[in-house]
Amino acid sequence: MRRAGASLDELIADRLAQSGPPGLAADLVLAAMLGDDDLAATLSDTQGTGPTAGASQPAPTAAEPAHLYLQSIVVEGFRGIGPQAALRLQPGPGLTVVAGRNGSGKSSFAEAAELALTGDNKRWSDRSAVWREGWRNLHTPGDSKIAVELTADGQQGTIKVTREWPAGAVLDGAASHVQVPGGARKPLDTVGWSAPLELFRPFLSYSELGALVSGKPTEMYDAMQAILGLDQLVSGERRLKDARKRLEDPSKQAAKALPALRAQLAGHTDERARQAETALARRPWDIETIKALAIDAEMSSDPLTGRLAQVTAITLPAPETATLAIDDLFAARHRVATLTGTRSSEARQLARLLSTALTHQASHPGEPCPVCGGLVLDEAWAEQAQAEINRLTELAQDADDAHAQLDAAGRAVRNLIGAEPAVLSADLGAAVDVSATQEAWQGWADIASAGPGDPLFDAAGAQFAAVTAAVAQLQKQAAAVLDQRRDAWRPVAAALAGWAEMARSSLRADESLAEVKKAITWLGAAGQDIRDARMAPFAAQSAEIWSLLRQESNVDLGPVRLAGSGPQRHVTLDVTVDDVHGAALGVMSQGELHALGLALFLPRATTPESPFRFVVVDDPVQSMDPAKVDGLARLLAKVGQDRQVVVFTHDDRLPEALRRLQLPATIWEVVRREGSVVELTKNEDPVRRYLDDAWAMARTDQMPRDARALAAAGFCRSALEAACHEAIRARRIKAGVRHADVERELAAADTTHEMLTLALLKDASRGNELVSRIRSRNGQAAVDAFHAIKSGTHVVYQGDLKHLVNETERLANAVRA
């Protein structure tokens, strides 16, 4: 009988050894469980010797790991995290919530831990390549690295798993290593975690929960099997069925396609068509000759083809654009003509004349006017002339604007068509006549170079139409030649190549199809037995979890079954709503379906046989109503009693529910700064919380002094004990003490004195040494504060409350340090 931690491929291997099909079919089952490459290799192996790596082979190393807890997740240059950021965790049972807005980088920690340990991520699995391209952080283009530290219960030191990518490496190009305490780095696959990670899978991503609400029965079935750890079985069945589709009756497909191929050959004048007809005249077909005839007919490197393609790419403005430009030119000319002889036009001419005279005066100051000879062009005259120019310029504004509009309109028309493309001067073959196009283009160049005079006004429209028509005709000729050259043999070659591949598949299929069908039949029966066995142990636990999550829901969950196969596979989720039976998908909300996903995931991930004493859940809160969030908080806190639960969420309702319900949890807030700098801040630290309450008591004037003193002393004692708990757990567990033993030690320390002795001296029986230890390390003030804390909840402290709180904080920090 197989052990509880056996992987799926090991279970299948055992069943094959006991009652598997003979020959190649058994090898096909094993290969399908391993992967696409192994199945393809087995199908191509005519000797039927099977895959190169048997599924039942033992792991390369070592014993199964002890109970493992997460201690830290350090990420650099991955997803939403740029510079190195670290999520530090208390390695032991307890609930940790990592909260942050969407885009803060919080989920990057979850995805990084999953990728580091499993080598894969459900965010990208079974998706197109584009999903795998955005994994590297854009703000950190250099090396990327993930480091996950774990502790093994009862063992000293940490186990460090790293996955590193050099700059420019693809996602699959990482180097992965593991380093155990006192050992050298070695490949991750040598520690024997692959099978337990597949079987007990401690990671649940939102994409897996989301698959449950897609509404497609087959996708829901596959998602449920994935949550139950049946991914490999699903993949194996799918691979075999895909192989059957690829192999099923391909010889008939080739024969069915042959008449159309022969008709295509008969209608072609190329001599190669006659050779193909001879090769296909009788069976067995001469497939090698057909393959030789299926040559490339694209001629993409042919210079003439390239030049003809350039001709077809010539573009001209739309006729509407040309018409608008020419209309604007005529409008501008009409405006200039309208202003001719007006005061504005005359002022424009006179201003130009005076400007010319002023330019002459500047170089001949004080000389007589060269026109009349009597007027002296001195500085006084220049000032009068400039004033007159200014006056005339204002009066001539309309005329200036009209001439500027005319110049701009002329340029717009001249620029409608650029210089003649160089390709028109190249050799385009005898079938393409470029003379009409060149003549039309030259005609346009002639009127464009004449400026905005009569040629441009009189001939622009007609000449633009001539160029457009000539180019269109030229392109029609070029396209026809291109079509003729490309289409002559390429379709026939493509048809021959496709048919040849189909015919080769036909020859292979006759030898393999029967064995594939045997493998499918056997794996279908064995797989159903495994599904039933996987579902059975979790049914009661799932029902219990649902009872916690169903808060205020009138839906009772009945048996969950995986039914059908192939395209008919579906999930049967029996529920009752107010004692009326129905199907879950018809009555459950998305939040309820997410809760159902958790109810199926947690029993498997927390089974006692799992070496992983942690679970990582990403964004389980979405779509849950407030009552169910309360139920989720209670559930996670309950699971956290004997497991390390790490939950990532962008929804602040979960942290709020934990605080409101006073459930134990460590909460980290994640913020993403500019440049993908991710910062984590611990929220709701119990030591800090008690100290803040103590400070509030010390500073308030709204309560009687004795009441404040009693309350402040109580909060100080709680802060000190919380610091002791944290320090004792951290140090003892790191030293290799089992978690259960640590908790027994904490429970046995009844008084604050014993608790602090255990924290500082590591032995609660050394209480007589405690005071001297505090005095030597922290001074007499700390000793006085400690005595006040011990008696302060019964005897009113008469000293300065602020001093008491300050000394308590110093002592607590010393304990934690």
Side-chain angles (χ1 to χ4, degrees), residues 565-609:
S565 62
Q568 303 303 315
R569 65 191 186 279
H570 63 282
V571 180
T572 301
L573 304 174
D574 291 336
V575 298
T576 57
V577 183
D578 297 329
D579 298 326
V580 178
H581 289 280
L585 297 184
V587 298
M588 280 186 167
S589 66
Q590 289 190 355
E592 288 172 327
L593 288 171
H594 283 182
L596 174 62
L598 282 171
L600 293 169
F601 163 77
L602 288 173
R604 174 175 66 94
T606 59
T607 187
E609 291 81 9

Side-chain angles (χ1 to χ4, degrees), residues 248-544:
E248 205 164 34
D249 204 17
S251 60
K252 291 182 181 179
Q253 294 176 11
K256 184 178 180 180
L258 195 55
L261 181 61
R262 285 173 172 159
Q264 187 176 7
L265 292 170
H268 206 283
T269 59
D270 197 295
E271 177 58 30
R272 289 172 291 185
R274 308 287 79 78
Q275 298 176 36
E277 287 175 333
T278 300
L280 297 173
R282 61 183 62 84
R283 299 189 71 168
W285 302 303
D286 186 353
I287 298 177
E288 293 304 317
T289 297
I290 296 298
K291 287 174 57 181
L293 294 172
I295 61 173
D296 176 28
E298 179 63 26
M299 297 180 294
S300 57
S301 60
D302 176 41
L304 178 57
T305 299
R307 291 194 292 271
L308 291 172
Q310 291 181 47
V311 171
T312 62
I314 294 174
T315 57
L316 294 172
E320 297 81 3
T321 302
T323 299
L324 287 174
I326 294 172
D327 289 345
D328 288 345
L329 179 64
F330 276 90
R333 185 174 72 166
H334 177 72
R335 184 182 176 190
V336 170
T338 301
L339 291 174
T340 300
T342 63
R343 290 183 62 197
S344 177
S345 177
E346 292 174 355
R348 181 173 182 267
Q349 294 176 2
L350 184 56
R352 289 182 175 181
L353 179 61
L354 283 174
S355 296
T356 302
L358 192 60
T359 301
H360 175 79
Q361 187 273 340
S363 58
H364 302 80
E367 294 184 6
C369 173
V371 178
C372 67
L375 182 63
V376 177
L377 303 182
D378 54 13
E379 291 297 324
W381 177 88
E383 291 179 2
Q384 294 176 357
Q386 184 61 57
E388 182 65 12
I389 288 173
N390 293 340
R391 186 186 69 80
L392 291 172
T393 298
E394 292 181 2
L395 186 61
Q397 186 64 50
D398 287 346
D400 286 340
D401 290 346
H403 280 274
Q405 180 183 356
L406 179 62
D407 291 340
R411 286 194 301 273
V413 172
R414 289 194 297 274
N415 292 335
L416 283 171
I417 299 178
E420 178 184 308
V423 71
L424 297 185
S425 301
D427 180 14
L428 299 177
V432 178
D433 183 8
V434 300
S435 59
T437 305
Q438 291 176 322
E439 181 180 348
W441 217 296
Q442 183 59 46
W444 177 267
D446 291 340
I447 65 172
S449 62
D454 289 341
L456 197 61
F457 288 102
D458 297 338
Q463 195 60 37
F464 180 87
V467 174
T468 301
V471 169
Q473 181 61 31
L474 178 67
Q475 290 180 328
K476 183 177 180 181
Q477 295 175 18
V481 174
L482 278 174
D483 290 343
Q484 180 181 6
R485 293 172 67 83
R486 290 173 177 170
D487 295 344
W489 181 248
R490 186 175 60 184
V492 179
L496 290 174
W499 186 90
E501 186 60 31
M502 188 185 302
R504 292 180 61 196
S505 298
S506 299
L507 298 177
R508 294 193 303 266
D510 291 340
E511 301 173 0
S512 304
L513 184 57
E515 297 298 320
V516 170
K517 289 181 177 179
K518 291 178 185 178
I520 290 173
T521 301
W522 185 89
L523 186 57
Q528 191 59 51
D529 289 344
I530 292 173
R531 290 183 181 92
D532 294 342
R534 283 285 172 90
M535 288 291 292
F538 302 136
Q541 296 178 58
S542 295
E544 181 182 355

